[in-house]
Amino acid sequence: MTEGAAPLVSVITANYNGAKHLAPAIRSVLRQTLGDLELIIADDCSTDDSLSVIAAEAAGDPRVRVLEARANAGPGAARNRALKAARGRYVAVFDSDDLMAPDRLEKLVARARVDHADIVVDNLLVFQDDGSAPWRAFLCQKAWSHPRWITLADYIEAGRMYSRQPGLGYLKPLFSAEVLKNDRYREDLRIGEDYDLVLRLLAKGARMRFLPDALYRYRKHGASISHVMRREHIEQMLAADAALQIEKRAECEAVRRAQERRRRSLETALVYDRVICALKARQVGEALGACATQPAVWPLLTMPVTARLKRLAARATA
């Protein structure tokens, strides 16, 4: 990229106290085979060494820009600041604790061009920060073994809470800048802001293409905000879903059914949160009463035990 020229791809990254993982994340962007890019890091008023880590890794590389915030405003607001500054024909969303394969951006842009897609997503390769489990593909079912279009109904259906189907909202999109022209992240969502933006774009008719290659490296660790779900997050997601306006289309009935299933799953999640809080407070009667109003909660109560058994089994075979 020549100095002053608009890049082909703008990689936008929201960061808050991500110093521990920032260095390898930045290197994985700057070492892309597609060099015609810019990396915009919107720092959300970090209190750790994030800014010094960024400066050291950028080492004067003009492709790296840092946007500093005066106050912490959340990931949606940080990404919106980065989007406002982005100059690329494509925008790639990238988290500050993750990695990407060296040829990821080259392959995503090629797919977007060949298929005339507004949004392209690839598979994730999930890994544990502490190395406690082997790396694994996020979407490993046969349905995700080949390139395919993702419809609005597909996307909503995969967004149900506690579904056996992996949530497509975890995938990190490459957007055409044109499709983002009139849309931004909802800043009132602290979790699920990625899902919400893509959902609104699909509802307006955007074309979303899936590439089965696992080119995005998704790091799981204890400090990851996407692993910490609280009651207010669920309520915010319910409100965001309710505000969605679906255009009239042939798939409208499938979309309506998917929306209804997602709504019920979020409402079940609210009751589950209420039950867990009651049990922690030793209010057994309150917990039982909540379960009686929402029988779908009963299977969820086995999840902590099942998760613990899986962790123990993984350690035993490691």
Side-chain angles (χ1 to χ4, degrees):
M1 182 179 73
T2 59
E3 188 173 351
L8 179 61
V9 178
S10 296
V11 180
I12 64 165
T13 299
N15 175 71
Y16 176 66
N17 287 350
K20 181 179 178 182
H21 303 113
L22 259 174
I26 292 171
R27 287 196 293 269
S28 77
V29 174
L30 298 183
R31 294 174 182 175
Q32 288 290 296
T33 56
L34 187 155
D36 188 7
L37 60 82
E38 65 179 352
L39 171 59
I40 304 174
I41 303 175
D43 187 77
D44 202 19
C45 203
S46 293
T47 57
D48 65 359
D49 295 328
S50 288
L51 296 179
S52 60
V53 170
I54 296 168
E57 289 302 320
D61 191 325
R63 295 179 298 170
V64 181
R65 287 193 283 161
V66 183
L67 309 178
E68 298 181 42
R70 295 181 178 179
N72 181 271
R79 289 202 185 100
N80 282 342
R81 287 191 291 113
L83 281 176
K84 186 176 180 180
R87 300 175 300 146
R89 277 181 279 169
Y90 296 95
V91 176
V93 179
F94 180 62
D95 285 350
S96 63
D97 52 357
D98 292 336
L99 306 168
M100 63 172 80
D103 57 349
R104 178 175 186 260
L105 294 180
E106 184 178 0
K107 286 186 174 180
L108 293 186
V109 169
R111 176 58 62 181
R113 286 173 162 170
V114 168
D115 293 334
H116 304 288
D118 302 302
I119 308 167
V120 180
V121 290
D122 53 335
N123 205 345
L124 310 176
L125 201 57
V126 182
F127 68 101
Q128 297 288 340
D129 190 41
D130 59 4
S132 60
W135 293 41
R136 62 177 178 83
F138 183 67
L139 297 170
C140 53
Q141 300 90 341
K142 186 177 180 180
W144 301 103
S145 62
H146 53 84
R148 56 177 285 185
W149 293 101
I150 296 176
T151 68
L152 177 59
D154 292 336
Y155 197 74
I156 297 173
E157 187 66 36
R160 288 185 294 129
M161 296 289 290
Y162 311 120
S163 170
R164 293 183 179 181
Q165 183 177 353
L168 300 180
Y170 284 99
L171 305 181
K172 298 301 176 184
L174 174 85
F175 298 102
S176 71
E178 181 66 22
V179 81
L180 286 171
K181 186 167 58 177
N182 298 315
D183 287 274
R184 289 294 183 264
Y185 288 94
R186 283 187 62 139
E187 299 185 5
D188 57 332
L189 291 174
R190 289 286 177 141
I191 286 183
E193 73 282 356
D194 297 295
Y195 170 88
D196 175 77
L197 176 61
V198 173
L199 180 69
R200 285 185 281 117
L201 294 173
L202 290 174
K204 290 182 177 181
R207 288 160 49 86
M208 184 174 184
R209 190 67 164 162
F210 171 74
L211 182 67
D213 306 49
L215 304 171
Y216 192 98
R217 311 329 194 192
Y218 182 86
R219 186 191 304 269
K220 295 188 74 172
H221 56 90
S224 175
I225 187 171
S226 60
H227 304 152
V228 185
M229 183 75 71
R230 296 196 294 269
R231 183 176 188 84
E232 59 265 31
H233 297 148
I234 302 169
E235 291 172 340
Q236 289 164 1
M237 288 190 287
L238 274 166
D241 283 9
L244 180 69
Q245 298 296 318
I246 303 292
E247 295 179 359
K248 296 293 184 183
R249 58 180 67 213
E251 63 180 286
C252 198
E253 182 59 25
V255 170
R256 188 196 64 76
R257 290 196 300 268
Q259 281 184 298
E260 178 61 22
R261 285 191 287 267
R262 174 169 157 88
R263 182 188 62 79
R264 289 200 303 266
S265 76
L266 288 169
E267 290 174 346
T268 299
L270 281 177
V271 177
Y272 176 70
D273 177 80
R274 178 182 162 194
V275 170
I276 294 300
C277 289
L279 291 174
K280 286 181 178 178
R282 298 185 179 182
Q283 298 172 346
V284 178
E286 169 70 15
L288 290 173
C291 288
T293 66
Q294 185 65 273
V297 169
W298 287 107
L300 303 183
L301 296 176
T302 65
M303 288 193 307
V305 176
T306 302
R308 180 166 177 76
L309 288 174
K310 286 183 178 179
R311 288 195 297 269
L312 291 172
R315 290 173 187 168
T317 56

